[in-house]
Amino acid sequence: LPYPVRGSRHVQEKRAIARAAATLIAPGDTVFLGGGSTTLHLADQLVDSDITVVTNSLPVATELSNGRHGQVIVIGGTLRTPEQSMIGPRAVEAIRSYRAGIAFLGVPAIDSVHGFTADGDVEAATDLAFIDSAQRCVVLADHTKLGRVATTHVVPLTAIETVVTDTGAPTQAIADLQA
C-alpha cells in the first residue's frame, strides 16, 4: 500500500513502537532510519535529539528538519514514489559510505523461518546496505508484519538483533522469533 494509506493504520501501535525504539539511542549516536510509517514515528521522537541520522526517507528527513539539534544526512538515489524514499544503486552506494551504531528499519514482513523479507529486489538491496553498514539492526514491526513473508529475502533472522513490536503481536509469533 502507498505510504499515506499505511501511515493511517495502527497509528497508536506505531507510536508505541517508536517510543520504545527511541530508548535505544543515546546522545551523540549516529543511526540509520529507513523509510516507512513506523520509522517516521521514530523520527518524531528524535526531533530534538543530539544525534546524526542518515536516511533515505524524505518524510523522515522533513520531520527531523523541524529539530534544533543533531544532523540529518539524506541519501540520494531513485525516488520510490509510494514510499517517498530513495532506492537503487546510487542509494546503496551512498549508504555504504556511512557507518552507524544502529539501523532502524521498518519491514513489510518478518518471519522466524524466512527472516526479513521485502517487496522487491531494489528495496531489499537498500535495506541490506543499511544492515551491512550498521553495528546492529533493529526492526520496527507492528503486529501485522509478524509471521508474514514478502517477495524478496533481505537477511535471515540471525542478522537482526532486536525486533520492536506492539502488544497486539500474537504470542506464538513472538515465541517463534525468540526461538
Side-chain angles (χ1 to χ4, degrees):
L1 294 172
Y3 170 77
V5 175
R6 286 193 339 264
S8 67
R9 293 182 174 187
H10 310 292
V11 172
Q12 296 305 318
E13 292 90 339
K14 291 174 183 182
R15 285 183 182 148
I17 290 166
R19 284 191 301 273
T23 67
L24 302 173
I25 303 169
D29 280 354
T30 297
V31 299
F32 292 135
L33 284 185
S37 55
T38 309
T39 55
L40 180 58
H41 286 288
L42 178 55
D44 179 59
Q45 295 291 310
L46 304 175
V47 164
D48 289 322
S49 299
D50 185 18
I51 62 173
T52 298
V53 174
V54 180
T55 186
N56 66 327
S57 168
L58 298 180
V60 165
T62 301
E63 180 66 26
L64 291 170
S65 72
N66 297 316
R68 295 182 300 268
H69 305 289
Q71 179 180 20
V72 180
I73 300 168
V74 183
I75 297 301
T78 302
L79 179 63
R80 180 178 181 221
T81 305
E83 188 74 25
Q84 292 295 297
S85 63
M86 305 307 239
I87 59 171
R90 298 267 191 234
V92 167
E93 180 182 348
I95 292 165
R96 291 187 186 279
S97 71
Y98 293 98
R99 295 293 174 264
I102 307 174
F104 290 94
L105 301 173
V107 297
I110 185 166
D111 176 77
S112 62
V113 174
H114 299 282
F116 171 5
T117 53
D119 292 323
D121 294 341
V122 180
E123 293 82 1
T126 306
D127 288 338
L128 183 58
F130 278 130
I131 293 167
D132 287 346
S133 298
Q135 291 175 354
R136 64 190 265 217
C137 177
V138 175
V139 165
L140 310 178
D142 71 62
H143 65 276
T144 65
K145 313 293 176 70
L146 303 182
R148 293 188 63 237
V149 179
T151 308
T152 307
H153 181 262
V154 179
V155 292
L157 200 56
T158 55
I160 300 165
E161 182 170 308
T162 305
V163 176
V164 182
T165 191
D166 62 85
T167 57
T171 305
Q172 188 59 52
I174 297 288
D176 291 346
L177 291 174
Q178 288 174 330

